[in-house]
Amino acid sequence: MITFLLSIALLIVAYFTYGKLIEKIFGVKEARPTPAYSMKDGVDYIPMGTNRNSLIQLLNIAGVGPIFGPIMGALYGPVAFIWIVVGCIFAGAVHDYLTGMISIRNKGAHLPQLAGKFLGKTMKHMVNAIAVLLLLLVGTVFVTAPAGLLFNLMNGWVALGVITGAIFVYYIFATLLPVDKIIGRVYPILGALLVISAIGVGVMLVGTGAPIPELTLQNMHPAGAAIFPLLMITIACGAISGFHATQSPIISRTMQNERNGRKVFYGMMIVEGIIAMIWAAAAMSLFYGTDLSELIATGGAGLVVSEVAFTLLGAIGGTLAVLGVIVLPITSGDTAFRSARMIIADYIKLPQLKVASRLWIALPLFAISFVLTNMDFTLLWRYFGVTNAAISAIALFVGAMYLAIQYKFHWVASIPATFMTMVSLTFILNAPIGFGLPMITSYIGAAVGTIIILVLFAYKVKLNRAETNFKIDEDVSKAA
C-alpha cells in the first residue's frame, strides 16, 4: 500500500515540478496566436475552453491502454509501478507536451508533417504510413474491446455484431462532424464518468486495505517473460504511448493559449498515469499471481475489469465503473479515425471543409477496420504495442530536434527517445511477430541500431542548425 500511495504522490508532484521545468525549457509565448484563431475553419480549427480541452485530451489518449495494459503488466509484479511512474513523468508526459506544443507552433500539424520538417522528408512518408497503421489498429482494438465489455454487461441480451455495428456508426459521425458537435459536447460528461469510476476503485482499494504488494525488482511473471522490453510494450498508455502524438494535434487546433499546454498535455498524461496505477494495483491485490494469469487467459483483461469493479464497488457502483471503462476505448477510437482522416487529408493536401471530402477518406478506413475486427485481439494488441513504441520514439526525436536546433536542453527528450528506440528494436528483433531472434542477440542488435540512429540524429541536428532559412515555428498570423 505504501508503494502505491507514494507512486500516486510522485505523479502529482511531478506535474508541479518536472512539468514546470519542461514548460520553461520549451518557452511558452502567451501573446502568440494559436491555430484555433488564426486558422479557424469551423470543422477542426475551433477555439475551446481549457477544461473542455483537458477532458477531451484525456479521453482521446486514454483508451483501454491505461487499464488493459496495466492489468496485463501486473503479472510482472510491483516492478510495473516503477515503469508507470518513471515512464509517465520523464517520457510519456514530456512526449505529449512537446508534440502538442510543437504542433501548435506549426499550424496544428500532425506528426508526419513534423517528422518531415525536423527529421527529413523520408521520415515524413514513413511516419505517415506507420501513423495511419497505428490509428487503424487503435480504432479496431477500441471497437472490439468495448463491444465485448458491453456484450458481457448485458449478459448477451444484444448480439455482439449489433453492438460492434452501433459503435462503428457512432465513429462515422464523430469522424465526419465538426469537432465541437459531438466530441466537444459529449466528452466532458464522459470524462467526468471516467474520473469518478477510477477514483471509486482507488478509494475502495485504500479504504478496504487491499493487499497491494510493496516494491520489489523481482520479475514475478508466471511465464518468466522478460521485463525489458516486454513490460514497456505491455504497459504503454499510462507510461508512454506514441498514439498520443496522433491525438495531440486535435487539441492543438482548439487551444486558446499556449499557457494552457502544461495542464492539457503534460497534466492529462499524469492523470492517465494515475489511472494506470489504480488498475495495476487492483489487479495485483485482488487476483495476483496464477489466479490473475488464469483470469486473463480465460476472459482477457476485460474480465478482470468486471471482476475488480463488481468486487470493490458492488452492483450499481460496479456497473458505473465498467461503463466508465467502456467510455475510454470508444472515446479514443472515434478520435483515432478522426486523426487518420486528418493525417491523410494533410498528406494529400485535400481541404476538409466539405463533408464529401471527409467521407471518401473515412469510409475506406472503416471498411479496413471492420475486416480487422475478425483478427485475434491478443495479436492485434501486440502489433499495436510495437507500432506504438516506435511512434513514441520518433515523436520524442522530433521534440529533441526542436529543442536541439535552438540550443535548448534537448536531453529531456533525447534520453527517453533513445530508451524507446532500444525498446522498439529489441522487441522487433526478439518477438515471434518480428524476427524471433534470441534475447541476447536482440539486445546486441538493438544497441547497434540505436547507436546508428543517434549518430544520424546528431548529424541531422548539425544540418538543421546550419540551415539559415530553417523556420522552427510557422507563421500563424492573420496574414498567413
Side-chain angles (χ1 to χ4, degrees), residues 49-71:
T50 305
N51 290 335
R52 187 192 293 190
N53 276 334
S54 297
L55 286 172
I56 293 173
Q57 173 71 1
L58 176 60
L59 287 172
N60 284 356
I61 66 176
V64 290
I67 297 177
F68 282 24
I71 285 174

Side-chain angles (χ1 to χ4, degrees), residues 55 58-59 67 150 153 186-201 271 275 279 313 316-331:
L55 286 172
L58 176 60
L59 287 172
I67 297 177
L150 279 170
L153 189 64
V186 177
Y187 272 34
I189 299 172
L190 299 180
L193 177 60
L194 159 65
V195 173
I196 290 171
S197 65
I199 291 175
V201 173
V271 173
I275 293 172
W279 283 98
L313 302 175
I316 297 177
T319 299
L320 291 175
V322 172
L323 286 174
V325 173
I326 291 170
V327 161
L328 278 171
I330 291 178
T331 53

